[in-house]
């Protein structure tokens, strides 16, 4: 029998140490951003029914949760607020005493080194659950921008380090950048939800943030999941308008978009590992159908491999713990 000529790829996989040496992609604790939900009240901790292990916290208990987050080595959180009252214009989103503003002040006092990224939107603060001003059943783009600017400025005045506008109104980055600059906050970065699809994966989040729309849906401002070229147009617009980071949301079904944005635009790209992606793994793991740790690590690694620089994930504490354990 003549000698066969072929490549010996398995040579590089024969031991764990060798596989570690040649591993191309890794998730680090510094890559992780942990979403948290602040609610009104005291001594209150509500588990989100569709998101096992994810809670809404009153401010006194939120501070204890953030102590634990910091102890895990996580350096950044994405802060959402669930107000006690709502109105047509979402006034608690930009109130000096709004739940987000109070949470920022208290967390910054306890952990000045923690990077607080403030989600900047109106949906969880409006009675109708949409991300802008409503007139005759229509979301008014330009009038909504004024309220988003007020919200962003109030969050920074409270101590937010980064503004993360998630509303998908046209021109929201340009408006917020101008508003922050005019208010003396030229140094504050914008982490734009540049590519945000109208996704079925958001259902559990709407339980957590109490932000489901009371009529219609968000397809006139969030993107069609079938569109790829449109994602680049959206991201390039935000880049031109002054965004410092570009979020792709969701992440798992849109890794091609993460890759496209990273290879096209010279900005840090953030993959948002959304609530539905979290809940699917939790449900499957609870049934014994998946190994939770291995699945999460594979999934987050795929986001880094696709080009994400940072990952927003509800698994951040778990991932940080697993990384810490592997380093021991």
């Amino acid at each position: 029998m003549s000698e066969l000529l072929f490549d010996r790829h398995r040579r590089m996989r024969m031991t764990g140490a060798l596989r570690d040496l040649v591993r191309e992609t890794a998730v680090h604790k510094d890559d992780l951003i942990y979403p948290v939900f602040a609610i009104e009240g005291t001594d209150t901790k509500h588990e989100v029914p569709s998101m096992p292990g994810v809670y809404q916290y009153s401010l006194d208990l939120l501070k204890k949760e953030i102590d634990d987050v910091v102890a895990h080595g996580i350096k950044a959180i994405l802060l959402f607020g669930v107000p006690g009252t709502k109105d047509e214009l979402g006034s608690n989103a930009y109130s000096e005493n709004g739940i987000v503003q109070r949470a920022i002040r208290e967390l910054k006092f306890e952990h000045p080194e923690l990077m607080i990224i403030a989600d900047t939107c109106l949906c969880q603060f409006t009675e109708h659950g949409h991300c802008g001003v409503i007139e005759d059943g229509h979301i008014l783009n330009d009038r909504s921008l004024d309220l988003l600017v007020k919200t962003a400025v109030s969050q920074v005045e409270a101590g937010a380090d980064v503004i993360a506008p998630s509303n998908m109104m046209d021109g929201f980055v340009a408006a917020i950048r101008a508003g922050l600059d005019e208010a003396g906050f030229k140094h504050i970065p914008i982490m734009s939800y540049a590519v945000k699809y109208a996704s079925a994966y958001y259902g559990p989040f709407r339980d957590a943030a109490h932000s489901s729309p009371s009529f219609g849906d968000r397809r006139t401002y969030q993107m069609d999941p079938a569109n790829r070229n449109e994602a680049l147009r959206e991201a390039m617009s935000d880049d031109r308008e002054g965004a410092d980071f570009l979020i792709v949301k969701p992440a798992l079904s849109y890794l091609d978009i993460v890759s496209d944005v990273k290879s096209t635009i010279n900005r840090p790209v953030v993959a948002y590992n959304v609530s539905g992606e979290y809940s699917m793994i939790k449900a499957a793991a609870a049934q014994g159908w998946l190994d939770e740790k291995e699945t999460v690590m594979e999934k987050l690694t795929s986001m880094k491999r696709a080009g994400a620089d940072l990952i927003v994930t509800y698994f951040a504490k778990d991932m940080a713990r697993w990384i810490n354990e592997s380093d021991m």
Side-chain angles (χ1 to χ4, degrees):
M1 179 178 175
S2 60
E3 184 178 353
L4 299 176
L5 297 177
F6 53 86
D7 295 323
R8 297 281 184 180
H9 298 292
R10 290 182 58 203
R11 290 179 185 140
M12 304 299 283
R13 305 172 189 154
M14 298 310 294
T15 69
L18 184 54
R19 291 191 295 272
D20 288 345
L21 283 174
V22 299
R23 183 165 294 129
E24 300 172 20
T25 307
V27 179
H28 305 285
K29 286 183 290 184
D30 289 349
D31 302 331
L32 304 173
I33 300 170
Y34 188 49
V36 295
F37 299 92
I39 59 172
E40 300 286 359
T42 57
D43 195 29
T44 301
K45 177 181 177 182
H46 293 151
E47 187 171 32
V48 180
S50 53
M51 299 179 71
V54 174
Y55 297 87
Q56 303 164 325
Y57 294 95
S58 57
L59 297 187
D60 53 329
L61 297 186
L62 180 61
K63 288 188 285 187
K64 296 178 182 178
E65 168 67 1
I66 298 306
D67 289 343
D68 190 45
V69 169
V70 171
H72 277 74
I74 296 170
K75 297 180 180 178
I77 63 168
L78 178 58
L79 178 63
F80 297 91
V82 182
T85 59
K86 305 185 180 190
D87 58 35
E88 281 294 306
L89 297 179
S91 60
N92 273 321
Y94 41 88
S95 168
E96 180 182 355
N97 293 312
I99 184 64
V100 170
Q101 288 76 5
R102 285 185 285 126
I104 293 170
R105 287 193 293 268
E106 295 196 22
L107 295 179
K108 267 297 174 184
F109 179 80
E110 297 288 337
H111 295 285
E113 76 289 353
L114 178 69
M115 188 170 82
I116 299 180
I117 305 165
D119 181 81
T120 305
C121 198
L122 301 174
C123 59
Q124 60 263 48
F125 298 93
T126 56
E127 291 175 341
H128 46 73
H130 280 284
C131 303
V133 177
I134 300 291
E135 186 174 286
D136 297 327
H138 297 287
I139 296 91
L140 303 183
N141 193 93
D142 295 7
R143 281 185 58 190
S144 301
L145 296 180
D146 294 336
L147 299 185
L148 293 167
V149 171
K150 289 177 65 174
T151 301
V153 170
S154 72
Q155 291 169 338
V156 176
E157 288 175 339
D161 300 289
V162 179
I163 292 301
S166 59
N167 55 91
M168 289 296 285
M169 296 294 110
D170 290 336
F172 70 92
V173 173
I176 289 173
R177 182 72 273 161
L180 291 175
D181 290 354
E182 184 178 342
F185 299 123
K186 292 183 178 181
H187 62 289
I188 295 294
I190 295 175
M191 182 179 286
S192 167
Y193 286 69
V195 181
K196 184 177 180 181
Y197 285 93
S199 173
Y201 286 102
Y202 299 154
F205 173 87
R206 290 171 182 170
D207 290 341
H210 299 173
S211 62
S212 295
S214 61
F215 68 91
D217 55 39
R218 297 183 175 132
R219 294 180 184 274
T220 66
Y221 44 105
Q222 294 179 1
M223 287 178 47
D224 184 340
N227 292 356
R228 184 173 186 172
N229 293 331
E230 183 184 12
L232 284 179
R233 294 198 297 271
E234 288 276 2
M236 288 188 288
S237 291
D238 288 7
D239 179 42
R240 287 193 301 269
E241 292 172 16
D244 300 282
F245 304 79
L246 302 171
I247 297 176
V248 176
K249 180 182 181 182
L252 189 59
S253 292
Y254 300 89
L255 295 181
D256 57 328
I257 308 302
V258 173
S259 179
D260 287 349
V261 173
K262 183 60 179 178
S263 62
T264 304
I265 303 173
N266 187 24
R267 296 283 182 190
V269 175
V270 184
Y272 199 134
N273 176 211
V274 299
S275 58
E277 297 166 5
Y278 172 90
S279 296
M280 287 191 304
I281 289 180
K282 282 291 187 180
Q287 294 293 326
W289 297 336
L290 289 176
D291 181 295
E292 182 174 333
K293 175 182 176 181
E294 294 299 322
T295 304
V296 171
M297 295 183 76
E298 181 177 340
K299 180 178 67 167
L300 299 188
T301 300
S302 77
M303 296 170 192
K304 287 293 299 292
R305 191 183 65 245
D309 299 284
L310 302 170
I311 302 171
V312 178
T313 178
Y314 301 94
F315 287 111
K317 280 206 305 182
D318 294 319
M319 191 66 186
R321 184 178 71 255
W322 296 328
I323 293 170
N324 289 336
E325 290 169 354
S326 69
D327 290 340
M328 294 176 65

